[in-house]
Amino acid sequence: MAKGRSTAGRPRRKAAPKGAAGLAVTPRDLWRWARRGVAGVVGGFLFLVLAFTVINPVMTPYMIAESWRRGGIARDWVPIEEIAPELARAVVAAEDANFCLHWGFDMRAIRAALDEGAGRGASTLSQQVVKNVFLWQGRSWPRKALEALMTPVVEMVWTKRRILEVYLNVAETGIGTFGAEAGAQRYFGVSASELGAGQAALIAATLPDPKGRNPVKPSGFLKKRARAIGEGAATIRADGRSACFED
């Protein structure tokens, strides 16, 4: 009678983790699922970028969060043709004077920001649109990394005019207020198409801090900033840096 080998004292081999169906899950399976997940996210982003060339992204993640927190927000999408060109030029002058010259990143502004430290921002309008439409608010390296990857895609697919149109409709212009139309109505009681150069400059001056600045009751700093923006808007019109978004 053959003697079998004794298994006493021998360590048991650990079983591979099992999925819901009771099958063993291998590292290869996890890697395959991870790749599929990443491919799905990338595919969804590309689909939205293409879709938003013709469909307006009326609500953004931040708008949804603010609407839930405040019980509602003021917003009203209007095409760029119904927004005063003075506001478009003022916003570009205030936020990204070289908007028509770069491909999504203003390298000169980035170098200046690095030289001056964390107190200075260097985000272009294109980057801000990507953050507002596709990502979340707040400063974090994961968000900045995604923003850096996604911005060139938006720049390749959307026109500069479309990028600015989306920005003018989704940017926060006041407490619970989003977009040029809602901002114009709230502060000056007129539509975005009726804004004058001075009013446009004041709205543009509030954009870095829409919850803390009021263009109707501007501080001395805000008045000074608005004057500088007005001068900048005239400059970019004169030297052609507004040509990419104007008729």
Side-chain angles (χ1 to χ4, degrees):
M1 185 172 181
K3 295 182 178 180
R5 293 185 178 181
S6 174
T7 59
R10 294 173 60 184
R12 289 186 176 184
R13 182 178 299 175
K14 290 184 178 180
K18 296 184 178 181
L23 302 176
V25 178
T26 66
R28 181 176 295 180
D29 294 327
L30 296 175
W31 175 242
R32 184 170 62 251
W33 294 339
R35 284 186 301 175
R36 288 177 179 175
V38 170
V41 170
V42 172
F45 166 65
L46 294 176
F47 171 79
L48 289 176
V49 170
L50 290 171
F52 288 159
T53 59
V54 293
I55 300 173
N56 299 326
V58 180
M59 291 293 285
T60 67
Y62 183 54
M63 284 185 189
I64 294 171
E66 283 291 282
S67 180
W68 179 82
R69 188 166 70 90
R70 297 184 176 279
I73 58 172
R75 60 175 177 83
D76 187 7
W77 183 285
V78 291
I80 195 170
E81 293 81 10
E82 296 179 19
I83 297 174
E86 289 82 2
L87 180 60
R89 287 193 293 268
V91 166
V92 171
E95 296 291 300
D96 185 6
N98 292 320
F99 176 63
C100 289
L101 306 180
H102 62 66
W103 47 275
F105 304 97
D106 188 340
M107 302 311 296
R108 182 179 299 178
I110 291 173
R111 285 192 292 268
L114 291 174
D115 291 340
E116 296 182 23
R120 177 189 172 102
S123 291
T124 63
L125 287 176
S126 305
Q127 290 174 271
Q128 292 182 54
V129 164
V130 167
K131 176 190 70 176
N132 290 337
V133 175
F134 300 106
L135 299 173
W136 61 94
Q137 303 296 308
R139 294 185 177 184
S140 67
W141 285 112
R143 200 218 75 204
K144 294 297 290 185
L146 288 172
E147 183 183 291
L149 292 172
M150 296 161 77
T151 297
V153 178
V154 170
E155 277 274 345
M156 285 189 293
V157 177
W158 296 2
T159 64
K160 289 286 190 177
R161 186 174 172 87
R162 178 59 171 171
I163 291 172
L164 182 58
E165 179 178 49
V166 172
Y167 179 87
L168 289 170
N169 278 283
V170 303
E172 187 178 23
T173 49
I175 298 174
T177 306
F178 291 84
E181 181 68 17
Q185 293 283 358
R186 171 175 180 165
Y187 295 121
F188 302 111
V190 299
S191 67
S193 64
E194 299 172 314
L195 287 169
Q199 295 169 328
L202 283 167
I203 289 178
T206 68
L207 292 175
D209 185 14
K211 289 186 173 70
R213 299 178 183 180
N214 187 337
V216 177
K217 299 178 180 179
S219 63
F221 167 80
L222 198 62
K223 291 178 181 177
K224 182 179 179 180
R225 176 63 180 150
R227 285 194 297 270
I229 289 172
E231 293 171 0
T235 299
I236 66 171
R237 184 184 188 187
D239 64 20
R241 280 182 291 164
S242 63
C244 68
F245 59 84
E246 294 191 311
D247 292 334

